[in-house]
Each structure stands twice: as C-alpha cells, then as structure tokens.
Amino acid sequence: MTEAVHYIIGASGQLGTELALSLQMRGERVVLSDVRRPEHADLQVLPFEMLDVRDRQALDVALEKAGATKVYLLAAALSARGEGDPEWAWDLNMRGLLNVLEHAAASEVVDQIFWPSSIAVFGPETPAVAPQKGERKPTTVYGISKNAGEQWCAWYRAHRGVDVRSVRFPGLIGHRSVPGGGTTDYAVDIFIEANATGAYTCFLSEHQRLPMLYMDDAVDSIHELMAAPAADLTVETSYNIHGMDFTPGELAQAIAERVEGFTIVYKPDFREAIAASWPDALADADARKDWGWAPKVGMDELVKIMLEAKKMALSET
Ligand code: SER
C-alpha cells in the first residue's frame, strides 16, 4: 500500500488550520492549499500552494503533482457571508465540490474525500433536536449549498464509486485559528474578547440556543470517520454529530464565573434569524453506532480550555 498523502483545500481557514496541525502531529504527509497563506507558525514548514478550488485545471495539476490520496475540501463561504453574496457563495461551494468529486471519480490515486456539511442544512421546520433522516429545508444560501452538496456526494458515491465521507458540523470552537463569516462565530469571538477586554457585544440574542463542538473533537471526528470501514457506514448523506449546546446567556454566565467583571450586551443583527432557523441539537445515534462517535469535551471543559488559551489568534480571517 502506498503512503497516504493528505491534501487540504482551505488549509488557512479555521478548520483547515487545525486539521493540518493534527495531521502534522501524527507525522502524516500533508500538503496545504488555499487562496491565502496559512498564518499559524507551525504550518510554515509544510508544503503550501495557492489554489482557487473553482479552477478545475489548476486543481487537477495540484492534486496530481502532490500525489494526493486523501483530499479534504474545507474551502467554503459560510452562512453570514453567503447571505451578502449568494452567487459567489453558491459558485465557491458548489463548483469547488463538483471539481473535487469529478477529479476523484477520474483519478486512480485519490482514494478518499472528506467534505463537511453543516447544521445549516436544517430549517425552521426541523424539530429542536434534528433527526438524522427527515426533511431538510434550509433557508440560507450556505444551507442550500450544503444540502445540495450532500446529495451530490451521495450521487458520486452511488454512481461514480467515489469514497466521500461527511459530517454535519455544528459551530466549531477552537483556539488555534479564528472563524470568519459564520453565525456561530460569536462563540469564539466571546473568548477572544473575554481574554482581551473582559467585555463582549453579542450579535445573537441571549436565549438563542445552538449546537456547538470543541475543535479537537471535530478534528477527531474527521480522522475517525475517514478510518472507518466503508461497509460500516449506513448513512447515505452526512452524519449528524453533536457535542454540546448552549445559549449566549449560558456561555456568558460560565465565562463570568471565571473572568471577574466580565460583561456582555446583546445587539442581535441579521445573524439572529439565521441562528433561529437552525436546530438546538443534533441526534447523532447513527454516528455513534456506525463509527464510534463520542465527543470528549463538554461546555465546562470548553470554557476552561478557551480561557486558558491566551495565545488565541486575534486576526480576523
Ligand atoms: N459555523 C457555520 C456558520 O455559522 C455553521 O456550519 O455558518
């Protein structure tokens, strides 16, 4: 068997940075690509190339040159930014995915793809605890693209033999990279501000509950799902996974218990309606059964870790 070459598209983003660090720690061969250079100091030693995933020819050349066997497509326009530029968001999210799936279908070298879906595939009619199977009626550009992407992945799996694996991520919270353009970003911003100024102005309302996941658990879910025997995977689309759920008010309370004098004010903007359209939590029994999904970090532990991580990147991406 040839040695795996992990190729990350969108490696300079919030999740890409963390996945790259994790693969690097594991001693894996990894190649990074993005439309901007990675910021994290530890990633400067890894091979990197500028790549716009919408450019099919450039993508083919890059993946072939690298000898990529496992491709992680993490470049995407998220929910809040997508609403401001629907055509750009649809084009990036869909063209990028189709390019990668087409490449994989034709390639004898690429053997696996990872592509993240999202809680955004659900809509206002979804029950508070989103079931694995059931109707999905997303109301954001991002959610529409993820929903269509899930079906494209299922199609390429069924008709072109592409081994593409996927989970529906909730909001991801970590301290080695910053998010950009999402609705769940408040749950990272709040820690940066708690550490820097002791005060935060929240763009969601106090009681807006959302599902969330600590970054290390998110990265582990990728490794675990990619390592699972294909025969064990029974979900045709993307797996629901759940870590924890809380409201901005509950998170602020937990921070205030550790940061003396911490204050929060609520100034909900257009992102409130996006958050309101998403479920509170995800039913993840299938992921637990099929590939052993079991998150390790709950809310108390998360708050502790995030407040201790003083070196959190402060730049907006
Ligand atoms: N974190 C994403 C967003 O807020 C949801 O998948 O857009």
Side-chain angles (χ1 to χ4, degrees):
M1 216 174 120
T2 52
E3 194 191 353
V5 177
H6 303 264
Y7 194 99
I8 305 178
I9 300 165
S12 305
Q14 186 199 16
L15 178 56
T17 297
E18 298 264 9
L19 178 64
L21 290 167
S22 165
L23 287 165
Q24 186 182 40
M25 284 275 290
R26 290 171 166 232
E28 297 283 342
R29 283 178 66 190
V30 47
V31 180
L32 314 179
S33 73
D34 205 308
V35 291
R36 63 196 164 87
R37 296 199 64 82
E39 283 180 28
H40 200 286
D42 294 356
L43 298 182
Q44 306 306 321
V45 296
L46 294 181
F48 169 83
E49 56 203 343
M50 290 286 177
L51 175 72
D52 183 340
V53 69
R54 292 172 296 181
D55 183 340
R56 173 70 199 279
Q57 212 189 346
L59 177 75
D60 286 346
V61 169
L63 292 177
E64 275 161 30
K65 193 179 82 193
T69 62
K70 315 231 175 264
V71 181
Y72 305 81
L73 173 53
L74 308 182
L78 295 190
S79 60
R81 200 169 289 163
E83 292 305 284
D85 200 340
E87 279 191 77
W88 165 76
W90 175 261
D91 190 47
L92 172 58
N93 295 359
M94 287 295 93
R95 179 53 44 210
L97 177 58
L98 287 174
N99 281 349
V100 170
L101 290 170
E102 272 296 315
H103 178 94
S107 169
E108 285 175 8
V109 180
V110 174
D111 63 25
Q112 269 188 325
I113 307 287
F114 177 82
W115 173 80
S117 183
S118 163
I119 54 170
V121 297
F122 298 111
E125 292 167 34
T126 301
V129 180
Q132 174 64 57
K133 290 197 175 82
E135 207 174 29
R136 305 190 303 265
K137 281 192 184 169
T139 51
T140 62
V141 174
Y142 175 64
I144 295 168
S145 75
K146 287 293 182 186
N147 197 30
E150 286 198 15
Q151 299 309 130
W152 275 121
C153 289
W155 190 88
Y156 273 86
R157 211 180 283 123
H159 298 290
R160 293 283 189 273
V162 175
D163 185 358
V164 50
R165 302 186 177 198
S166 181
V167 297
R168 292 176 184 145
F169 277 133
L172 302 182
I173 304 168
H175 54 82
R176 301 175 194 95
S177 58
V178 288
T183 299
T184 57
D185 295 11
Y186 93 85
V188 176
D189 298 347
I190 194 171
F191 289 105
I192 296 175
E193 291 305 320
N195 277 333
T197 67
Y200 181 62
T201 302
C202 187
F203 57 75
L204 297 184
S205 68
E206 185 176 358
H207 302 294
Q208 189 59 66
R209 181 173 299 279
L210 284 172
M212 300 282 178
L213 186 62
Y214 179 51
M215 186 59 87
D216 290 14
D217 281 330
V219 170
D220 282 350
S221 78
I222 299 176
H223 295 317
E224 284 158 16
L225 180 56
M226 292 292 266
D232 292 351
L233 305 180
T234 61
V235 166
E236 285 163 17
T237 52
S238 302
Y239 278 92
N240 276 5
I241 57 172
H242 188 69
M244 65 193 91
D245 54 272
F246 51 72
T247 66
E250 289 166 358
L251 183 59
Q253 176 63 35
I255 292 173
E257 282 164 19
R258 291 186 166 85
V259 178
E260 219 192 306
F262 175 73
T263 56
I264 184 163
V265 291
Y266 299 95
K267 289 198 180 151
D269 64 16
F270 73 101
R271 288 169 281 194
E272 174 74 4
I274 298 177
S277 78
W278 292 346
D280 295 351
L282 273 67
D284 61 4
D286 289 278
R288 289 174 182 271
K289 176 172 62 67
D290 288 0
W291 46 276
W293 165 243
K296 296 180 194 72
V297 173
M299 184 180 162
D300 279 349
E301 182 69 8
L302 171 95
V303 171
K304 217 169 116 220
I305 295 168
M306 292 298 288
L307 288 175
E308 277 166 12
K310 303 267 185 211
K311 284 195 199 139
M312 185 148 51
L314 282 167
S315 61
E316 177 60 27
T317 55

